[in-house]
Amino acid sequence: MKKALSLVLALLVAFSMFAVVASAEGESTEPVKTVTLVFRVDGEVYQTVEVQAGVPVTPYTPENPVKQNTDEIRYTFKGWRSTYDGQLYYKSTIPTPDGTEGKITFDAEFSEEDISERQSFWNLIESIFERINKIFQYFAIVFNW
């Protein structure tokens, strides 16, 4: 009985080894491909990230950059424009690289809003008093003051 049990156990071990070999057959010994992602703002490198092919890049994507506003223009970040395919991506929509590209560059794109015609609160008050002064000047002419 002991010999029969040991023979059955030996056969089970042999079959389990074949299962391990069969499951490891599809694995490749090629080195893992990496893709370099370059994020630029106004032509200057903002951040460079190297990720493995097939790994999502959302955690490695930088936060929304800020461009300095001027007196006439307010800049708002729109997204990252890819030089690879020309599409505009947001942080959560940047595709996972498949390893065929070695380097992908993303340029920050900003929308411009003209704020030169806007009035501040004090400019509004100033214009109201200017109009009141013009009304008094008109009354002064009409009533000969």
Side-chain angles (χ1 to χ4, degrees):
M1 181 72 176
K2 288 183 181 180
K3 288 183 183 182
L5 183 60
S6 64
L7 184 63
V8 170
L9 289 175
L11 287 173
L12 286 174
V13 169
F15 284 128
S16 67
M17 286 191 301
F18 288 128
V20 170
V21 170
S23 67
E25 179 183 7
E27 293 184 15
S28 173
T29 59
E30 292 181 22
V32 177
K33 294 181 181 179
T34 60
V35 178
T36 303
L37 304 174
V38 178
F39 296 93
R40 298 186 305 190
V41 176
D42 289 337
E44 301 284 328
V45 175
Y46 184 70
Q47 185 174 353
T48 303
V49 178
E50 285 193 15
V51 295
Q52 293 180 355
V55 174
V57 296
T58 302
Y60 307 109
T61 305
E63 294 298 323
N64 297 346
V66 177
K67 187 173 181 178
Q68 188 65 32
N69 297 331
T70 63
D71 291 338
E72 294 86 24
I73 298 175
R74 177 184 299 151
Y75 296 101
T76 306
F77 179 71
K78 284 174 53 177
W80 296 103
R81 176 83 53 191
S82 171
T83 58
Y84 179 71
D85 59 4
Q87 291 189 357
L88 186 67
Y89 294 104
Y90 303 104
K91 179 176 179 164
S92 60
T93 62
I94 292 179
T96 302
D98 59 1
T100 57
E101 315 88 8
K103 179 179 177 181
I104 304 174
T105 304
F106 294 95
D107 291 320
E109 193 167 299
F110 295 91
S111 64
E112 297 179 357
E113 181 183 359
D114 184 16
I115 57 173
S116 60
E117 297 295 323
R118 292 190 177 189
Q119 285 188 344
S120 69
F121 174 74
W122 296 113
N123 288 344
L124 174 66
I125 299 298
E126 181 182 13
S127 68
I128 290 172
F129 279 109
E130 285 176 4
R131 289 186 177 99
I132 290 173
N133 282 338
K134 286 184 181 180
I135 292 172
F136 281 128
Q137 288 174 356
Y138 176 74
F139 286 147
I141 293 171
V142 170
F143 296 116
N144 293 328
W145 288 344

